[in-house]
Amino acid sequence: ALFERQDSLEGMNYVALAGELGLETGPFKVCVDERKYKDEVEKDYKDGVAAGVTGTPGYFILGKEGNVIQFLEGAQSYKVMKEAIDQALSTL
């Protein structure tokens, strides 16, 4: 739902949207009002920027040791994804 409405996210009533999606709005409203995950979201954002992510989607193809073999930015075809994964597997 957020993806479909990404042009109008600023000022969006997320609690109302949650209700439209059939979520329990009470717990959701408390979470939003208290900004329960604000620090974690900001940390993840900063980590992404530091790693070179400039948009979504972004994919990190990792090796056995957890090292980044390749970073793919943006929507990718099956062929490109398969090649990246096959390349990473060949390093194992």
Side-chain angles (χ1 to χ4, degrees):
L2 294 174
F3 182 77
E4 291 171 354
R5 300 171 188 184
Q6 60 187 308
D7 293 334
S8 60
L9 292 178
E10 194 166 326
M12 177 177 285
N13 184 334
Y14 294 104
V15 176
L17 179 58
E20 288 176 31
L21 297 172
L23 301 176
E24 294 181 33
T25 56
F28 184 77
K29 182 175 181 350
V30 170
C31 183
V32 170
D33 289 348
E34 293 178 358
R35 298 181 174 264
K36 184 175 182 176
Y37 296 102
K38 179 181 183 285
D39 292 341
E40 183 62 29
V41 169
E42 286 179 354
K43 179 190 172 302
D44 288 347
Y45 174 78
K46 288 176 183 174
D47 289 346
V49 169
V53 178
T54 60
T56 57
Y59 306 93
F60 290 94
I61 310 298
L62 305 179
K64 185 176 185 179
E65 308 295 322
N67 54 313
V68 177
I69 301 291
Q70 190 173 2
F71 173 66
L72 301 173
E73 189 170 12
Q76 300 293 327
S77 68
Y78 171 80
K79 179 182 176 188
V80 170
M81 293 295 287
K82 182 176 184 330
E83 287 172 0
I85 292 168
D86 287 345
Q87 178 185 357
L89 289 172
S90 73
T91 67
L92 300 180

